[in-house]
Amino acid sequence: MAVSSHPGRKWERAALYAGAEAYLDALVAKDPSRLAFTDDVVFTENNVQLMLGDGLWNTISARRPDYDLKCADLDTGQVSWFGVIEERGHPAIMALRLAYRGEAISEVETIVCRAHELGPFPNIAGYEKPVRPLLLADVPPQERLPRDRLISIADGYFDTIQLNDGTLFTHFTDECDRIENGLQTTNTDIEGYPIARMGTADQFRLGQYIYDDRLRDRRFPLVDEEKGIVLAAGFIDHAGRVTDVTWTDGSRHTSIFHFPHSFVLLELFKIVGGKIAEVEAVFITVPYNMVSPWVARQPYVIRG
């Protein structure tokens, strides 16, 4: 892994991106021996810790070239990738995070959203389009925000969606769109989901997501300051107790979640001028209140 010549920077973006490519190539070849791993490497797939070479390593047949969204943390030596893989001809959306220690990979975190399994509304067609240009663009140096500030803005998104009552705990650009498992869920038409016609901030102002009981085990492992992107991880817990919902405009609705379950996610936030400008998430359904291999367990508290 190349060492950056920039003062205060350890990692080169090109080297981290090359590391992601090498990992994906080894994965498609089903050959982890092509890569260097630390002795204590942690590998998870869909929030379950596995042995290297298990899980997707057994079933992948190809990587689709259409969508290639990478981000890099030049301070901590991490890289992420969002795209589409195939398992025996069946496409699935995948989010990947790699962490390096020296020349070796020390962490591998993957979420694979399969249409026939646990992924809510995976829309493979959404990943046949080019990556949104804003996600790939660098933030001008004079406009870049420090790591802690970027994380705070992203964390405010989670505060906003948790027990959503119309209060915004972060800021959004007027053009901010959200892509979830390849499906655009803002500023678009989705049959039976009229709120999709609204922008991200306006959806939250209605209190649509009051049934999101907790956004827990939040992590922000990768921050790409040059691109203004934060990669976040965590869970959205739905207790299933809230079924009748009244929005802030007084209209009454029924929650789409009627049973206890959780979503585990990897989610990108593009931040421009102190505001969230793009959101992209990959997540799947997991058992309610499932424990994360990546964090120490915290006491579970939910409203009475």
Side-chain angles (χ1 to χ4, degrees):
M1 187 69 62
V3 177
S4 172
S5 60
H6 298 292
R9 295 286 191 183
K10 179 181 179 182
W11 304 96
E12 293 279 8
R13 181 177 300 277
L16 289 168
Y17 281 10
E21 289 293 323
Y23 182 90
L24 292 166
D25 287 345
L27 183 63
V28 171
K30 300 183 175 70
D31 185 5
S33 69
R34 292 187 178 191
L35 305 167
F37 296 95
T38 62
D39 291 339
D40 59 349
V41 62
V42 176
F43 165 53
T44 66
E45 186 174 302
N46 290 351
N47 198 54
V48 177
Q49 187 169 355
L50 301 175
M51 295 291 293
L52 277 169
D54 203 356
L56 184 61
W57 287 90
N58 294 317
T59 58
I60 192 170
S61 54
R63 166 195 171 191
R64 290 193 176 182
D66 309 298
Y67 204 84
D68 183 30
L69 175 56
K70 294 190 187 77
C71 303
D73 191 322
L74 308 186
D75 286 334
T76 65
Q78 300 192 54
V79 62
S80 65
W81 176 80
F82 283 39
V84 176
I85 55 91
E86 291 186 3
E87 296 171 288
R88 301 185 177 95
H90 297 283
I93 296 168
M94 176 174 160
L96 166 70
R97 180 184 66 85
L98 300 175
Y100 281 87
R101 190 187 308 151
E103 302 288 327
I105 298 170
S106 60
E107 297 179 358
V108 183
E109 183 174 7
T110 56
I111 294 182
V112 183
C113 180
R114 300 174 173 98
H116 64 284
E117 201 175 52
L118 302 173
F121 49 79
N123 179 36
I124 302 300
Y127 278 87
E128 294 171 351
K129 303 174 183 178
V131 177
R132 291 175 283 175
L134 187 59
L135 287 172
L136 300 175
D138 287 351
V139 175
Q142 68 275 14
E143 298 177 16
R144 291 175 189 167
L145 297 175
R147 170 182 301 264
D148 289 348
R149 180 64 182 140
L150 291 169
I151 290 174
S152 176
I153 292 168
D155 195 35
Y157 181 95
F158 290 154
D159 284 338
T160 298
I161 199 170
Q162 177 177 264
L163 299 176
N164 175 219
D165 62 0
T167 305
L168 301 185
F169 293 97
T170 194
H171 299 284
F172 300 89
T173 64
D174 292 339
E175 299 79 18
C176 177
D177 276 324
R178 182 177 61 245
I179 306 294
E180 298 177 286
N181 292 339
L183 180 67
Q184 183 169 325
T185 54
T186 56
N187 297 306
T188 190
D189 286 313
I190 299 177
E191 185 177 356
Y193 193 59
I195 199 172
R197 299 189 186 100
M198 299 180 179
T200 306
D202 286 340
Q203 288 181 351
F204 287 137
R205 289 189 182 103
L206 278 179
Q208 149 79 6
Y209 301 99
I210 188 68
Y211 46 70
D212 289 343
D213 293 280
R214 191 165 74 142
L215 203 309
R216 65 174 164 88
D217 293 343
R218 306 177 192 185
R219 293 179 289 120
F220 304 93
L222 184 156
V223 179
D224 191 330
E225 294 177 58
E226 292 182 359
K227 296 192 178 297
I229 287 179
V230 176
L231 175 69
F235 297 83
I236 302 177
D237 292 329
H238 300 115
R241 294 193 289 182
V242 175
T243 55
D244 297 322
V245 177
T246 301
W247 290 355
T248 57
D249 64 359
S251 61
R252 297 185 62 81
H253 304 268
T254 301
S255 168
I256 59 176
F257 301 122
H258 301 150
F259 57 90
H261 74 281
S262 298
F263 291 147
V264 62
L265 59 87
L266 284 173
E267 191 158 8
L268 290 175
F269 299 98
K270 174 78 177 194
I271 297 165
V272 178
K275 298 180 179 181
I276 296 176
E278 302 279 7
V279 182
E280 183 145 345
V282 177
F283 58 94
I284 63 164
T285 301
V286 294
Y288 180 55
N289 204 27
M290 187 178 185
V291 176
S292 168
W294 296 103
V295 299
R297 194 67 175 119
Q298 300 296 320
Y300 185 74
V301 178
I302 199 166
R303 61 187 167 191

